[in-house]
Structures are given as C-alpha cells and as structure tokens.
Amino acid sequence: IFAGKLQGAGIVGPLPAPRRISTYAASASDNGGSGYITARIGASDSLLLVDSGATLSVIPKQLWLKITNGGSELSGHHGDVAAANGGRMKILGKWQTVCQFDSLALIAEFLVADVPSQDILLGFGFLSKYGVVVDFGKNECRIMGKMFPLIIPADLDKPRTVIIPEDTVIPPRGEIIIAGKVENSFEPSFEGMLEPLDTFSNQCDVMIARVVCRVEMGRLPIRVINVTKDSITLKGGMRVATLHTDIEGGIGEHRRGE
C-alpha cells in the first residue's frame, strides 16, 4: 500500500497531516506517523526518527558537531524552514553524509539546525528517494527491499533488564566496577536509573549501587560490593538489575547523545 505525493515512498498505517518540518519526536508521534530506526553516521551509532509528515531531513547542531568532531563543510540553504509549531528554525546549512543501515550505505542530505531537539530526522524527501516503505502497524521499515525494525517512541521508556555479560569474580570484602549489558538497548547513548533486582539480592551476598548512570553502546558501569569473606562469582548472563529510562528530568533530553 503506497501513500504520498512523491513517487517511490510508501506509508502503511495512519498518515499524519503534511508539514514542512518537525523538530521534536513528540510532535511527530502525536500524529501517529513516526518511529526510530538505527543507523551509523560517520563513527557514531545513532537513532533516526522516521517522520512521514516532514518534507526535509534535519540534524541538530549539537549532534552534528559531535558526529563530525567539531564541524565540517556545509553548503548553503536558501529559504525559511517552519517547525511543527509554526515557528522558524535557524538553519546553518546543508550537510551531505553517508548513513549506514546495516550493510546498506546511503547518501543523505541533512539541514543542520540550531534547535534544542536531540532527534535526527529523516524526512519524506529521503523516504521517497530510496523507495522507503514504512509500516506503522507492523513496526517495520523497508529500505531498498531490506527490512529494518521500527522502534516506536513508547518502547524507549520501557524498563530494561541488565545482565552480567561474562563470568566475573568479586574478591572477599571487595568492590569492583563491572561493565553490565543492557538488553533491548536501541539507543547508542542514554541515561537511566539502575535498580538492583530483589531476586538477585536474595541469591547472593552482593550489593549493587542504585544510581543514575549513562549507557554507551548497550553497556553501563555497575558498582558491585562483596560483603562476605569469600570470593563470589557472578555467572555470565545473570540478571542483576533493571534500568528505568523514564526518570524525572527528561531522559529524552539525553537519550540520543549529548
């Protein structure tokens, strides 16, 4: 099922009212036409917001500076760009780069905008150019015949399980930092509240610190304390904590990198 004015792009599911640009994920998801896909831009793993209601693709200035290690050459852009709220966006220029979707490498052109949003936006122009088909019912995105999972915004705020990736020995009455692994980690970088599991605490005499921590590439530091006089081995794959990403202070402010 295809919808849209430009040939080649497809939308399956609710189609939001067209607008020239969207700055915030909330603006797009309110209309029922957005989701995230993972991609690699330069040396940075990123979440890209697929927004069928936006014409252009946009990257916030701060993320552009981070990905390019301080900036890169921009081409000029003429004309005003309106945000979803009707305001005008400050555009620094156009930036052309390569987006790596698994084994698929595609050239993309973004407007670099001085906006507070932390979303990299893929607009309808990109979707049309590469014949992208988005199925919001199945949460799937097909790019040039290759299928990718579509991550809905609500999934980013669900609690995640944290496990010990490999066997780790904690010395008697010792304290160590373990690089824990977050299951179902979609974002390259975000923050959350680490809460020890009661089932883990009941299994062994090990204490895990409850703390707000940053996740990078699915890994986060876990402070573990052995309160006994004997060494304790934590087995790889053991579930030790839950990470809550809907903490007060707007986890979305940090979710897609600072």
Side-chain angles (χ1 to χ4, degrees):
I1 302 174
F2 289 93
K5 295 181 180 179
L6 301 180
Q7 185 177 4
I11 303 297
V12 180
L15 183 66
R19 57 190 183 282
R20 294 186 63 185
I21 210 73
S22 170
T23 318
Y24 296 95
S27 300
S29 59
D30 287 346
N31 287 315
S34 68
Y36 294 95
I37 56 175
T38 58
R40 190 169 184 83
I41 305 177
S44 176
D45 291 305
S46 306
L47 273 182
L48 279 61
L49 176 64
V50 179
D51 185 357
S52 58
T55 304
L56 305 173
S57 297
V58 174
I59 183 169
K61 173 185 174 182
Q62 292 303 317
L63 287 182
W64 170 72
L65 289 172
K66 179 180 179 181
I67 291 172
T68 59
N69 293 318
S72 62
E73 183 178 354
L74 298 176
S75 59
H77 172 76
H78 303 285
D80 294 331
V81 178
N85 60 10
R88 292 287 182 256
M89 300 174 63
K90 182 180 179 181
I91 304 299
L92 305 182
K94 290 187 292 187
W95 178 52
Q96 190 175 88
T97 187
V98 174
C99 292
Q100 187 85 31
F101 301 91
D102 196 9
S103 61
L104 191 63
L106 302 176
I107 295 175
E109 187 173 76
F110 294 93
L111 294 181
V112 180
D114 192 359
V115 292
S117 172
Q118 289 296 306
D119 284 318
I120 301 175
L121 176 69
L122 282 182
F124 198 73
F126 177 91
L127 306 184
S128 174
K129 180 178 180 180
Y130 294 109
V132 178
V133 177
V134 183
D135 190 330
F136 293 113
K138 295 182 179 179
N139 294 330
E140 295 177 342
C141 180
R142 188 164 69 245
I143 306 176
M144 300 185 69
K146 190 174 181 64
M147 191 67 69
F148 300 92
L150 191 68
I151 305 164
I152 61 174
D155 287 341
L156 300 178
D157 289 329
K158 291 181 178 179
R160 326 280 179 91
T161 299
V162 179
I163 66 172
I164 301 296
E166 57 189 14
D167 290 0
T168 304
V169 178
I170 310 173
R173 304 193 186 281
E175 176 181 335
I176 63 173
I177 302 295
I178 300 174
K181 181 179 179 181
V182 181
E183 294 185 333
N184 299 320
S185 178
F186 308 110
E187 313 94 315
S189 177
F190 63 101
E191 288 183 349
M193 173 65 75
L194 186 70
E195 293 274 4
L197 288 174
D198 290 337
T199 52
F200 170 76
S201 301
N202 294 334
Q203 287 177 2
C204 53
D205 295 321
V206 172
M207 299 175 62
I208 291 179
R210 178 181 183 269
V211 65
V212 175
C213 56
R214 176 170 286 276
V215 180
E216 298 285 350
M217 304 302 297
R219 297 298 180 101
L220 80 171
I222 305 176
R223 182 186 175 195
V224 182
I225 302 174
N226 180 0
V227 297
T228 73
K229 61 180 181 179
D230 300 313
S231 296
I232 294 179
T233 299
L234 301 181
K235 295 294 185 179
M238 180 181 292
R239 298 183 176 185
V240 297
T242 300
L243 187 72
H244 299 273
T245 60
D246 57 346
I247 61 176
E248 186 177 355
I251 203 68
E253 295 175 8
H254 308 283
R255 176 181 293 139
R256 282 155 297 275
E258 287 183 315

